[in-house]
Amino acid sequence: LRVTQPERPDVDLFFDGDARLRRLLVETLDPVTNTRRRQNVKLDGEMTSRGIRWFRNLTITREDGPYFELTILTLDVLPGLADPRLR
């Protein structure tokens, strides 16, 4: 699935068989060299809190190798706010 918006780079989204977002491909503009760089964002693992599923690991790679890694250790979704404006 390709997501587009004017004046923003396109993003290609990839989902697994359970319709979970697992990968994103995006081209960004390098501010130093003013050249386009392709980034691959991988989401894997899973954690759940109060019925909300979220990825555990996020890894970003570029053409020249690893760029960023994040591992979420805990997920605690708070109960919803009782806001009368949302009824």
Side-chain angles (χ1 to χ4, degrees):
L1 174 66
R2 176 163 284 175
V3 179
T4 62
Q5 182 168 339
E7 300 181 30
R8 304 294 301 164
D10 292 347
V11 179
D12 294 323
L13 307 176
F14 299 87
F15 298 86
D16 67 12
D18 294 322
R20 293 186 187 113
L21 181 62
R22 292 300 180 192
R23 193 165 62 102
L24 300 90
L25 287 177
V26 62
E27 281 191 359
T28 60
L29 191 61
D30 187 314
V32 175
T33 63
N34 203 32
T35 58
R36 293 191 176 273
R37 299 194 70 173
R38 193 163 184 87
Q39 289 187 359
N40 181 18
V41 180
K42 181 181 173 189
L43 308 171
D44 64 9
E46 184 177 299
M47 45 195 351
T48 304
S49 175
R50 294 185 187 265
I52 303 296
R53 293 183 310 199
W54 203 253
F55 61 89
R56 181 176 296 277
N57 304 301
L58 176 143
T59 305
I60 301 175
T61 55
R62 290 185 170 171
E63 302 93 355
D64 54 354
Y67 177 70
F68 180 82
E69 290 184 7
L70 171 74
T71 298
I72 300 172
L73 300 177
T74 62
L75 175 66
D76 186 17
V77 175
L78 302 176
L81 299 175
D83 188 337
R85 297 173 291 178
L86 299 176
R87 293 183 188 174

